[in-house]
Structure formats: C-alpha cells, structure tokens
Amino acid sequence: MHLNRMNGAMRRAAWIASLAAMVLVEVAGAAQPGDGRSEGNIPQLRKQGTAMQLVVDGNPFLIIGGELHNSSSSSLEYMKPIWQRMLDLHFNTVLAGVSWELVEPEEGRFDFSLVDGLIQDARRSGLRLVFLWFGSWKNGMSSYIPVWVKKDYTRFPRVRLQERGTVEVLSTLAEANWRADAKAFAALMRHIREVDGDSRTVIMVQVENEVGVLRDSRDRSGAANAAFVGPVPKALLDYLPKNRDALVPEIRKRWETAGFKASGAWAEVFGGGPETDEIFMAWQYARYVDNVAAAGKAQYGIPMYVNTWLSGQGKPGEWPSGGPLPHVMDMWLAGAPHIDMLSPDIYAADFERWCQRYTQRSNPLFIPEMNRDGAGPQDVFLAFGQYSAIGTSPFAVDSMENPKDSKLARSYAVLEQIAPLILQYQGTGRMTGFLLNKEHPTVTRDLGDYQLEISLDDIFGYRADQGYGLIAAVGPNEFAGAGSGFRVSFRPKTPGAPLAAVGTVDEGIYREGKWIPGRRLNGDENDQGQRWRFDSQRLSIERCTVYRYE
Ligand code: DGJ
C-alpha cells in the first residue's frame, strides 16, 4: 500500500478508535439537530488564546486542503483516480462543489446519490470534505440554479443592471429566491447529518460561491430600488452605534462623514456613490445568505463560511459588489450571524495584506482558494504561523501535473508533520510566520524570552531570493521551525546575561507529533555557530536551542 494512503488509513483508524471510545459514553440514539446532544461532537469552532480553531472529533484540526475544479465532483467516476492524487499532495481535506441543480433537479425531488458517493469515497481515502454549496450564486452568476428555477423568471426575480437591463442572476431582493435555496440547502444539511453525523467526514460547508453583482454597483430591479431609497433596516442601525469603535475603518468613515445618523435611507446614512451601493448590496447578500445558512444549520450546525472574489483597483461591479470584502465586513458581521467566517480567495500578489484584512474583527482565517503553485506553497506557512489560519486550500488541485513532485506537495508534507505543533501554538503568542524577499529581507519578532531577527539566508556571498517559514518557542530556550531560505539570530528580552547564541541545531522530522532528530547542523549549516539557518535549497524542519552569556 502506498505510504500516503497508509497515513490516511492510519489517521482514519485512530479516528475510528476515538469514535468507539466516544460511543461508549454517548447516550444511544441518533442526535437530533438542536437537541444539544450532538453539539459536543460535531465539527465546531473553539477559541484558543487569540485564535479560533476548527475542532473535529473533539480535537483541533488544521485543514491541509485543496479545492477541486468546479465540475470534478459532479461525477464519481471522474473522481475515482483523483482521491489518490489528493493523498499524494498530503491533503487531509478536499473542497468539493455540490450543486443545487443536481441535488434538486425537480422541485421537491432531492437526489443525494452524488453526495453519498463523495462522502463514501472520501471516507475510504481517509480524507475529510468541505462541501461548497453552489446554490443561488457562483462567481456572482446563477448558473448552478436548477433549470426549473432558471425558467421561472416571474416567481424567481432577477437582477437588473443599469446598462444591460435584466440579467440571468437571482436577485437578493426576493423572498421566493432565498426560500427556495434555503429549502434545498436545509435538505442537503439534513441528509449530511443523517449519513455523516456519526462519521464527520464533512467538516465545514461553504454557502454559495463568490457572491455579488457584476457589471454594476447594485441591483436596480424595482424591489432593489425601493429598498435603496427606503430606510436602512433597524438591525443595522442598532449595530452601528454598538460597534462604533470597532467598525472597519471604511464603514466607520462613511458613516461618520454622513454625520453618524441614527436613521435614514442608505445614501443618507452612508453618503452617495457606488461605495454606498456596495454597502447596500453587502447587506442584502448577507441577509439572503444568512437565511440560507440558518436553514442549513437548523438541520446540522457545522461551521459555515462564505468565500470572496477580492477587489482590485476600480469600482464595485468590477468585482462582485456586495461580496464579503473587508471594506464592507460590518454588513456581513451584522447581517449574517449564522456565517462563522468570511473567507478570501487569495490569488492576488499581496497575500499578507489580505490575511491582515481578513483577520480584522476577530474573523477566523480560512483560505478556500489560492495559488497552487508560484508563491502559494510558501504563503501557507505565513497563513498558519502568523495569522492562525484554520486551513488553506489551493484551487484546481486535481489537474496538477506530477502532484507528488510539486512544491505544494513538499510544503504540505511538512505541514502534515508539524500540524500538531501549529495547533498547539496558534493563538498563544509563541509562534510566528513570515515571508521574506529582497524588498523585505528582515523581520523582527518577539518570541518567548527572545527577540528574533529573521533574515534572508546569506552564505558564501549567495543571498536567497526568498525565505519563508514559521517558528514556535517550544521551551524557555528552545525553538522549532520549518521553512526555507532564512536565518535567525537571538537577543534576550528578559533580565540576565545580555547576549544570546545558538547552542544546538538539529534537523529532523515529526512522526505522529513526535520529534525524531536527524543531522546535527553545525559549521557551514549554522554559520559556524552564529545563527540558526534554513538552507534555501531545502525545505526543512529544525529545532534549535539557545543560551545566554556576557
Ligand atoms: C474563483 C471561483 O470561486 C472558483 O470556483 C473558480 O471559478 C475560480 N475562480 C477560477 O479561477
């Protein structure tokens, strides 16, 4: 049997054992949603220090994942060879689309055969699933709605745009739309609970996909126009003053500039222009998506998130207007309480900036889409080490050539080993992650009793182009790290001898959380004892001890 497959199977065996132990103490009988009995065991979020972690089967869980192409999971046959590829990439979780059109091909007739097959095949491979509910919207459009919804444009109203008139996109401003979506989503979640509530293969669900109005800053249908000139809803007007000092700067500024009004139409409370159109749409999408999520959670309350097409230069409508972007985050926080996380799809170059913006307001970071190559396999270390990510998931992972030899597989093989360490230190202030390049060659971080200067590696006159990694203070004078292309020097922060030096450096591996040292790194490998080095030719896991002197 392939080693990776064995890892998956071993993980599964451990999980079955823990489940068996749980069954002994659980009251017999299937848990019902909302009866409280299932709450302790179903996937959920739990705070650790400043971090929010995903808890699966009672233990913190790091999603080392990847997202499939949109159509892959619509055929179990097509998926057959893909599961092994996911294991070759060291994934523990696969993000797979489940579409409304296939789940409810005729109104009221549900077909979950595909869902069942995906769950069984993932389970067989020792993989977890995050289902992506392609419901009312996918990339701002409504291509995944069933044909019976597509055809019935009077019952299910569409968006109207300034220059194009009506478009084939469901409007948020129609109760019939969200009710139909919520009914299907609730049926799906109920089914998942029935077939998977005991096994917990499905650990989270994404509700819709990259929502928002494209090619205009807002919906201009009759209902939308009426709502726009009508009063801002009371729930939002109550939220604003309660959160006055915590609002994201963009929302606070617009509300402040308009005079901190306690009532009025949208343009009165937030000023005029496309920015307010976007705020308005964000509220409408948030309320709609929340109705859908609430119906699903009432059946099976596992964590749910929404993903985001990120904004660029330009104006709303060039990106989906109303999606959960950081500059309208408060609309989503106020309008969608059943959504646990607002999640960025980060294909943009400024990865760290998006991580910062998506951790505002204590939003837990989960990255459902990002680059599978280029900088992506390096960025994941920053996400986990510095921004307490719950998980990362590069997109289009099923079409990678030579997945086993990819940079992503190398990064994920390391993350798979150090996941227990990451989970132990997230949110404690004792771990840091970083990206270094020629423009930003050095960062300084306080960790444990030391200040660490982390710089691009430099040896025999050769300077690395890039460095990346994460470091945790695992003991009073001991650090564990993983990454490539950087070096670390230490300065004591606490009273005592004022100087610090590297005592020992070992490279090694973690097997099931246990450290197994390999080479003792000295000489050139630790800059003749001067620094803790991570060679840019390798991606390594190392531990280092430090001592003080004067
Ligand atoms: C973002 C979407 O969320 C994905 O489903 C997919 O369409 C990608 N874009 C394509 O790059």
Side-chain angles (χ1 to χ4, degrees):
M1 194 188 271
H2 189 276
L3 182 66
N4 294 329
R5 187 171 260 281
M6 269 181 55
N7 284 341
M10 281 161 52
R11 279 201 301 272
R12 215 64 192 162
W15 158 75
I16 287 166
S18 69
L19 194 70
M22 251 167 354
V23 167
L24 289 177
V25 293
E26 249 183 13
V27 185
Q32 295 301 310
D35 69 0
R37 282 190 291 140
S38 64
E39 298 302 305
N41 294 321
I42 67 172
Q44 57 195 273
L45 298 177
R46 188 168 72 197
K47 219 165 166 46
Q48 170 168 289
T50 56
M52 190 64 94
Q53 297 187 314
L54 175 65
V55 174
V56 176
D57 298 339
N59 297 312
F61 185 90
L62 209 60
I63 295 183
I64 300 171
E67 183 168 325
L68 302 173
H69 281 281
N70 298 158
S71 307
S72 307
S73 53
S74 68
S75 162
L76 298 179
E77 196 56 31
Y78 183 89
M79 282 297 297
K80 267 190 187 154
I82 290 175
W83 299 109
Q84 180 57 48
R85 267 185 249 158
M86 306 294 94
L87 295 171
D88 290 343
L89 283 159
H90 299 271
F91 290 180
N92 58 22
T93 304
V94 174
L95 278 68
V98 170
S99 70
W100 187 4
E101 66 170 339
L102 292 178
V103 157
E104 195 183 7
E106 286 167 35
E107 187 166 12
R109 183 174 71 77
F110 293 99
D111 179 354
F112 295 115
S113 48
L114 201 53
V115 171
D116 292 345
L118 291 169
I119 291 175
Q120 278 159 19
D121 291 346
R123 213 181 269 167
R124 212 171 283 139
S125 307
L127 287 159
R128 307 279 180 165
L129 287 169
V130 172
F131 277 145
L132 318 173
W133 173 239
F134 293 168
S136 293
W137 301 288
K138 160 81 178 58
N139 298 25
M141 307 303 284
S142 294
S143 56
Y144 281 90
I145 58 178
V147 174
W148 57 269
V149 179
K150 283 183 180 166
K151 284 177 167 168
D152 200 345
Y153 53 88
T154 32
R155 181 172 158 208
F156 302 111
R158 310 294 143 105
V159 164
R160 203 175 159 76
L161 305 179
Q162 186 86 62
E163 284 171 11
R164 294 176 183 235
T166 305
V167 285
E168 272 301 87
V169 175
L170 290 182
S171 171
T172 51
L173 276 296
E175 190 175 334
N177 293 357
W178 71 255
R179 281 207 183 277
D181 187 336
K183 202 166 156 199
F185 186 61
L188 171 68
M189 293 312 295
R190 180 191 170 95
H191 185 79
I192 296 174
R193 170 175 59 82
E194 284 168 357
V195 299
D196 193 50
D198 290 340
S199 301
R200 293 134 198 169
T201 311
V202 181
I203 54 176
M204 294 208 300
V205 174
Q206 175 183 298
V207 189
E208 316 293 346
N209 190 89
E210 293 191 344
V211 303
V213 170
L214 281 165
R215 298 183 196 90
D216 200 348
S217 48
R218 73 169 174 85
D219 183 357
R220 296 181 197 267
S221 61
N225 287 344
F228 189 71
V229 296
V232 172
K234 184 173 178 311
L236 179 54
L237 291 170
D238 288 347
Y239 169 94
L240 290 171
K242 268 194 210 136
N243 293 276
R244 183 188 289 245
D245 297 328
L247 297 172
V248 293
E250 297 87 347
I251 293 290
R252 187 187 152 104
K253 189 158 176 237
R254 291 192 70 82
W255 184 41
E256 182 173 7
T257 307
F260 285 134
K261 290 205 176 68
S263 64
W266 290 85
E268 287 164 349
V269 174
F270 296 106
E275 295 84 357
T276 293
D277 292 349
E278 188 180 21
I279 292 171
F280 168 76
M281 284 319 306
W283 175 260
Q284 306 305 338
Y285 277 104
R287 292 302 305 130
Y288 186 118
V289 170
D290 195 63
N291 282 327
V292 175
K297 278 201 166 171
Q299 296 301 325
Y300 190 36
I302 63 176
M304 294 187 185
Y305 70 93
V306 282
N307 68 331
T308 324
W309 174 331
L310 299 183
S311 53
Q313 303 296 321
K315 52 183 193 307
E318 289 169 32
W319 57 85
S321 179
L325 278 153
H327 59 268
V328 294
M329 198 179 233
D330 286 296
M331 299 302 115
W332 281 85
L333 295 178
H338 293 89
I339 292 296
D340 301 289
M341 283 169 274
L342 308 177
S343 299
D345 294 342
I346 316 183
Y347 297 101
D350 41 355
F351 185 86
E352 179 152 18
R353 173 93 185 101
W354 288 109
C355 291
Q356 284 165 354
R357 298 184 80 196
Y358 272 91
T359 44
Q360 292 180 99
R361 307 293 318 272
S362 306
N363 182 56
L365 182 65
F366 174 61
I367 307 174
E369 292 181 45
M370 57 185 287
N371 295 313
R372 64 184 193 183
D373 29 43
Q378 308 180 359
D379 293 340
V380 291
F381 286 86
L382 180 81
F384 286 120
Q386 187 67 14
Y387 295 95
S388 300
I390 281 175
T392 55
S393 164
F395 180 70
V397 285
D398 42 328
S399 63
M400 287 177 78
E401 282 177 21
N402 300 321
K404 270 187 198 170
D405 300 325
S406 63
K407 270 169 66 186
L408 182 60
R410 283 199 284 278
S411 283
Y412 269 17
V414 166
L415 288 171
E416 181 183 49
Q417 291 179 59
I418 62 172
L421 184 93
I422 293 174
L423 288 165
Q424 182 181 349
Y425 288 100
Q426 277 185 332
T428 63
R430 296 180 66 82
M431 182 165 63
T432 184
F434 42 85
L435 294 174
L436 307 171
N437 54 39
K438 293 210 159 146
E439 287 75 50
H440 303 103
T442 302
V443 293
T444 304
R445 301 275 162 83
D446 289 346
L447 224 51
D449 293 341
Y450 294 89
Q451 183 173 78
L452 279 61
E453 190 180 275
I454 307 165
S455 307
L456 277 181
D457 191 29
D458 195 341
I459 183 112
F460 303 135
Y462 170 74
R463 191 169 208 206
D465 289 336
Q466 282 161 337
Y468 61 94
L470 60 82
I471 295 175
V474 296
N477 299 299
E478 192 169 5
F479 297 84
S484 176
F486 65 93
R487 49 174 50 204
V488 187
S489 56
F490 300 86
R491 186 148 19 114
K493 279 189 330 180
T494 49
L499 301 171
V502 168
T504 58
V505 177
D506 291 311
E507 70 173 357
I509 57 169
Y510 280 93
R511 192 173 291 144
E512 282 157 37
K514 191 172 172 294
W515 173 243
I516 302 171
R519 285 187 303 166
R520 167 61 52 95
L521 300 181
N522 205 337
D524 297 341
E525 280 69 54
N526 72 356
D527 209 359
Q528 323 308 329
Q530 299 302 294
R531 289 184 184 81
W532 184 18
R533 277 193 65 222
F534 284 74
D535 196 321
S536 64
Q537 306 301 311
R538 302 161 51 77
L539 167 52
S540 50
I541 308 175
E542 299 180 13
R543 287 178 73 120
C544 167
T545 60
V546 179
Y547 65 92
R548 295 169 67 158
Y549 68 100
E550 56 183 21

